[in-house]
Every structure is written in structure tokens, then in C-alpha cells.
Amino acid sequence: MRTAMPVVLVVSATAMAFALSGCSSSSEGSTPAIATPPASSAAASSAAPSSSSAAASSAAEYTKQGTKLKIGEKAVVPFKSQKNTGAIGVTVTGIDKGAEADLAPLKLGDRAKGMTPYYIQVKVTNETGSDFSYSSLGLMNGLLADGTSGPHVTVIGKFEKCDSGNSGKAFTTKGASYDSCVLALAPAGAEVKGASYSASTYRDLAPETDYGKDAVTWQS
């Protein structure tokens, strides 16, 4: 069963606006973009190096769309970076509760009033030895106790409490790994109890991996 689409706040250290959109379990329209001051921290940017040839994709047993996992269990999903295809492992290793005051540097204003940040800790592994240097993890969201997606913040730039980061230049061998963090919000009276991986960008690489249609989820 597909979870409801989350509210999304996009915060940029260089842009002057963030988009706020979302819907409940029933379909609703998105709201217009709202102007807001930029975050105070500087944007981090890394250019992906060019590859002389695409890395060969090794066989991988992909996690099927809609699979339900426990915290600490790994999903293996198809992935592509530049012209290189293969698989990555995605493991939610923990979910840490923050404080509302943590959000002050992001300058979200009243849109985030009363919300509590949660930091979803994720380990990403290279499952096929493909050259995935300087790549980033696909779309992930926090899940509330009832299984619906909570508000999700995409930070473009640096947020010290929860650094999404990227794979760096050494993510080119089987078994290589890096840690990432996904920032999610819980409205007053709610808690983030799980996470979902809903990237659909690579669904054409393997059958039954349209995670945008039916996400892989983790629940504590």
C-alpha cells in the first residue's frame, strides 16, 4: 500500500525560496512557493568526475518494491551514476530525536513551528563494485507511527545536525560504504518511527523495483 506523499520543505543556502507541497492520505493540491531567507550555512558542492567507460553491472538480488524491513536490515536496490549501473545497499541504522531549536539555522519560520526534527541514520554500501563516486542517496522520508510519511526537509547546503553528504571519490569498489543522514519532521504529538526509500529513478533497471509506486520501508 502506498504511503501518503509528505510535506516537503526545500531549504537552500543559495536560493531565496523554498517550495512547500504535500497532501494527506487523500489527494490534495500543492501550495505555491513561499519566499524565505536563505539558510546561514554555505552550500557544499562537489563535481562528479568523468568516467572513461561505464562500469559493468554485476548480478544482484534486488529488494522488491513494498518490502517491509526492521531497523538494521539492508535493502539492495538498483542504482546508476553517470553511465555506470549496479546496486547499492541501503540500511537504516537508527533514528535519533532532535529538538525544535535545532531547526533555527534553516530559517523555516512558522512552517516548522511546533515540529520536532528526527535524524534518520543511513549506511550506504556499494554492492557491485561499480564506480558510484560522488553519488548521493535516492529519496528517503520519515514515517510516523501510523505508517504515513511525515514532513521532509531537503537541505541544499550544509546542516551540521544532519549531513546528507555524498559517497566521495572512493565509492568504487564492492563493500565500500559511507554514512548519510535524512532529516524528517514530526508534527506536535507525533513521532518519526520509521523510514521509507521511494526512489523511482532506476525502476527501469530491474523489475519490481519501482519504489516510487510502493516504497521499501523500515519500522522500529
Side-chain angles (χ1 to χ4, degrees):
M1 179 177 176
R2 193 174 180 177
T3 56
M5 290 295 291
V7 173
V8 178
L9 304 175
V10 180
V11 185
S12 173
T14 56
M16 294 297 293
F18 68 84
L20 172 63
S21 63
C23 61
S24 63
S25 57
S26 60
S27 177
E28 297 176 359
S30 59
T31 58
I34 301 171
T36 187
S40 58
S41 53
S45 60
S46 299
S50 59
S51 175
S52 57
S53 62
S57 174
S58 301
E61 185 175 346
Y62 297 116
T63 301
K64 293 181 180 180
Q65 62 195 56
T67 298
K68 300 181 186 302
L69 301 172
K70 295 180 180 179
I71 302 296
E73 293 183 331
K74 180 170 69 175
V76 176
V77 301
F79 196 74
K80 182 176 182 179
S81 179
Q82 300 297 318
K83 295 180 180 179
N84 303 324
T85 59
I88 59 170
V90 180
T91 307
V92 175
T93 59
I95 301 175
D96 302 323
K97 183 179 180 180
E100 184 178 351
D102 294 349
L103 300 173
L106 300 181
K107 302 184 185 299
L108 298 177
D110 290 341
R111 293 292 182 177
K113 188 175 182 180
M115 292 189 179
T116 302
Y118 283 80
Y119 308 124
I120 301 170
Q121 308 299 336
V122 183
K123 181 179 181 179
V124 185
T125 53
N126 191 325
E127 297 293 312
T128 50
S130 308
D131 185 349
F132 292 149
S133 54
Y134 296 102
S135 61
S136 298
L137 181 62
L139 180 63
M140 294 194 70
N141 293 300
L143 296 179
L144 304 180
D146 62 1
T148 60
S149 297
H152 168 84
V153 179
T154 298
V155 180
I156 304 173
K158 186 80 171 179
F159 178 48
E160 292 184 0
K161 289 286 185 179
C162 189
D163 184 12
S164 59
N166 63 42
S167 65
K169 67 180 181 180
F171 199 59
T172 61
T173 59
K174 187 173 182 178
S177 67
Y178 70 96
D179 295 324
S180 185
C181 179
V182 177
L183 174 59
L185 302 181
E191 296 180 285
V192 173
K193 303 293 287 184
S196 66
Y197 177 86
S198 53
S200 60
T201 311
Y202 317 111
R203 64 184 181 274
D204 295 333
L205 298 179
E208 298 187 84
T209 59
D210 187 354
Y211 306 116
K213 182 179 180 180
D214 199 1
V216 174
T217 59
W218 291 260
Q219 292 283 162
S220 57

